[in-house]
Amino acid sequence: MDFNMKKLASDAGIFFTRAVQFTEEKFGQAEKTELDAHFENLLARADSTKNWTERILRQTEVLLQPNPSARVEEFLYEKLDRKVPSRVTNGELLAQYMAEAASELGPGTPYGKTLIKVSEAEKRLGAAERDFIHTASLSFLTPLRNFLEGDWKTISKERRLLQNRRLDLDACKARLKKAKAAEAKATCEGDTVPDFQETRPRNYILSASASALWNDEVDKAEQELRVAQTEFDRQAEVTRLLLEGISSTHVNHLRCLHEFVKSQTTYYAQCYRHMLDLQKQLGRCGWTQVSEAPYLLDPISRHLCGHYRTCLPTPEQHLTYHYCSYHACGTHGDWLGPSRRDSTLSRGGGSPRQWDTQGPGALRLRGS
């Protein structure tokens, strides 16, 4: 118990001395040991690396998980050392909704069949996104997080120790300076020849005793300064080695960045292939709706005619069909291919040429 109290009192004294030294330095009343320029550059480089690593880490987390609530939940699970539950991606959720919609609206209809095909593609996209998130987290986020939670904490700890050693060193320098000034003053007073006719001849004896005491104080301050200088140099060397290790950290982060780019390239390539396959499947179906306005024969047909388009592999092979009920409008429509459809349209800004009917199945151009 006595030992602990002595240690506590000693630590309190050291803390007070450092606080006084730090305060005097801030007010410009005490000298401060400056580090060399190379060491200062290492410190600035380390601080910059830490700050940008934090920013890149946070923004990458936003990229992989845009939902802030989900990010907070994952953070809490990690701090509690618990496994993060599996989460459905947005693409997989959209695929689920499309599949349910197709089942309810009719899987045999063109719309239902298309919903099923798109839902399958979205499901594959969601699976690719899940793989990308997992790969990017392991190959990129984990190394960045390990640096911040491991190496940087070690560097910060050693830097704090170096700061304390510097404060101790400067406090010893200030103590030695004051002791030497007091010793010089006591020596000057001791060199004065005393007048033994005075009523207080003991002043000379006291001056001689004070000079001897200050000599001892100077010797003690010099010894403490040597110890403080040795501890400071040792701690500065340890901190320097850790700061120079930032170069290795950059090399490691560069390798992780290449891995992240590789995983992102693979993810987008998979998405492109899935969507290209989906586009080809939809192109073979022939259920794509087409705008009506350019190809209707007249305004009445816009309301009475059924208008469909067959999707063929190339735009030149797209055929537009016009069908009008004979009993509904009294005319028969005809299907127009690309060349024949163009011949019915105006040329040079004129009005479209109209079709006349002479009976069922007969078509001719008005005015021809």
Side-chain angles (χ1 to χ4, degrees):
M1 184 65 181
D2 294 339
F3 173 78
N4 293 335
M5 290 300 296
K6 290 181 180 179
K7 186 176 184 302
L8 181 62
S10 176
D11 294 341
I14 293 175
F15 176 80
F16 179 76
T17 302
R18 292 171 180 172
V20 170
Q21 177 66 26
F22 181 80
T23 304
E24 291 179 350
E25 289 177 358
K26 289 299 181 181
F27 286 98
Q29 299 176 358
E31 296 181 359
K32 177 181 178 181
T33 300
E34 299 293 341
L35 302 171
D36 58 89
H38 177 64
F39 200 94
E40 292 289 350
N41 291 333
L42 290 177
L43 290 174
R45 187 185 183 207
D47 291 334
S48 180
T49 301
K50 180 255 185 182
N51 293 333
W52 283 112
T53 301
E54 286 182 337
R55 294 181 182 180
I56 294 173
L57 176 63
R58 287 196 298 266
Q59 191 58 37
T60 307
E61 290 176 344
V62 172
L63 173 67
L64 299 180
Q65 180 52 265
N67 189 351
S69 300
R71 294 199 302 271
V72 171
E73 182 180 354
E74 293 176 358
F75 175 78
L76 293 177
Y77 274 104
E78 291 177 358
K79 290 302 180 181
L80 296 175
D81 294 333
R82 297 179 60 183
K83 183 179 179 181
V84 179
S86 178
R87 191 183 303 277
V88 179
T89 61
N90 294 328
E92 293 173 334
L93 188 59
L94 178 60
Q96 178 183 348
Y97 289 164
M98 286 185 173
E100 293 176 357
S103 177
E104 184 173 345
L105 299 177
T109 63
Y111 182 47
K113 292 181 179 180
T114 305
L115 279 175
I116 293 177
K117 291 182 179 296
V118 176
S119 67
E120 293 174 353
E122 292 295 337
K123 186 176 182 180
R124 290 192 291 269
L125 291 177
E129 181 183 2
R130 183 189 300 275
D131 294 339
F132 167 63
I133 292 175
H134 178 72
T135 304
S137 298
L138 290 180
S139 62
F140 189 61
L141 291 184
T142 300
L144 298 184
R145 195 175 290 114
N146 289 340
F147 165 73
L148 294 175
E149 297 179 356
D151 296 345
W152 182 252
K153 286 187 176 181
T154 302
I155 293 175
S156 300
K157 178 182 177 181
E158 297 300 330
R159 288 179 65 177
R160 288 192 298 269
L161 289 176
L162 178 63
Q163 176 74 358
N164 293 335
R165 295 292 181 266
R166 186 195 63 77
L167 291 174
D168 294 340
L169 176 63
D170 291 336
C172 290
K173 289 180 179 179
R175 190 181 303 114
L176 178 62
K177 184 177 181 180
K178 292 178 181 179
K180 287 184 176 181
E183 180 189 23
K185 182 178 180 181
T187 302
C188 292
E189 293 178 353
D191 291 341
T192 303
V193 179
D195 185 5
F196 292 99
Q197 300 298 324
E198 294 181 356
T199 57
R200 296 180 180 178
R202 65 177 182 277
N203 291 341
Y204 177 77
I205 300 175
L206 294 176
S207 297
S209 301
S211 178
L213 290 175
W214 283 115
N215 287 335
D216 295 339
E217 186 68 21
V218 169
D219 294 339
K220 182 180 178 182
E222 290 177 347
Q223 178 64 25
E224 292 178 352
L225 178 60
R226 286 192 292 269
V227 174
Q229 185 69 52
T230 302
E231 293 180 352
F232 173 78
D233 293 340
R234 184 186 301 112
Q235 186 60 37
E237 184 64 23
V238 172
T239 308
R240 185 191 302 273
L241 292 176
L242 290 175
L243 294 176
E244 290 176 349
I246 293 294
S247 299
S248 301
T249 300
H250 288 181
V251 174
N252 184 34
H253 288 181
L254 175 62
R255 179 183 59 82
C256 297
L257 185 60
H258 280 283
E259 293 294 331
F260 175 71
V261 173
K262 181 180 178 181
S263 62
Q264 199 170 26
T265 304
T266 303
Y267 166 63
Y268 285 118
Q270 291 176 349
C271 293
Y272 174 76
R273 287 196 301 268
H274 294 328
M275 296 309 297
L276 189 62
D277 293 341
L278 175 62
Q279 189 178 32
K280 291 180 179 179
Q281 292 178 16
L282 296 181
R284 290 193 296 265
C285 294
W287 298 318
T288 306
Q289 186 179 2
V290 189
S291 175
E292 297 176 335
Y295 309 112
L296 289 182
L297 298 178
D298 50 57
I300 299 177
S301 301
R302 183 173 294 122
H303 301 285
L304 300 179
C305 296
H307 185 208
Y308 301 94
R309 178 178 179 181
T310 301
C311 297
L312 297 176
T314 61
E316 290 77 7
Q317 295 174 326
H318 290 173
L319 303 179
T320 303
Y321 292 88
H322 301 279
Y323 173 77
C324 181
S325 173
Y326 174 79
H327 298 285
C329 60
T331 60
H332 285 284
D334 191 11
W335 68 271
L336 304 177
S339 60
R340 189 171 181 182
R341 182 197 63 199
D342 295 340
S343 66
T344 66
L345 301 178
S346 62
R347 298 175 182 176
S351 60
R353 303 171 65 183
Q354 304 295 327
W355 289 87
D356 280 342
T357 60
Q358 296 294 331
L363 291 174
R364 69 178 180 84
L365 287 173
R366 181 180 301 169
S368 62

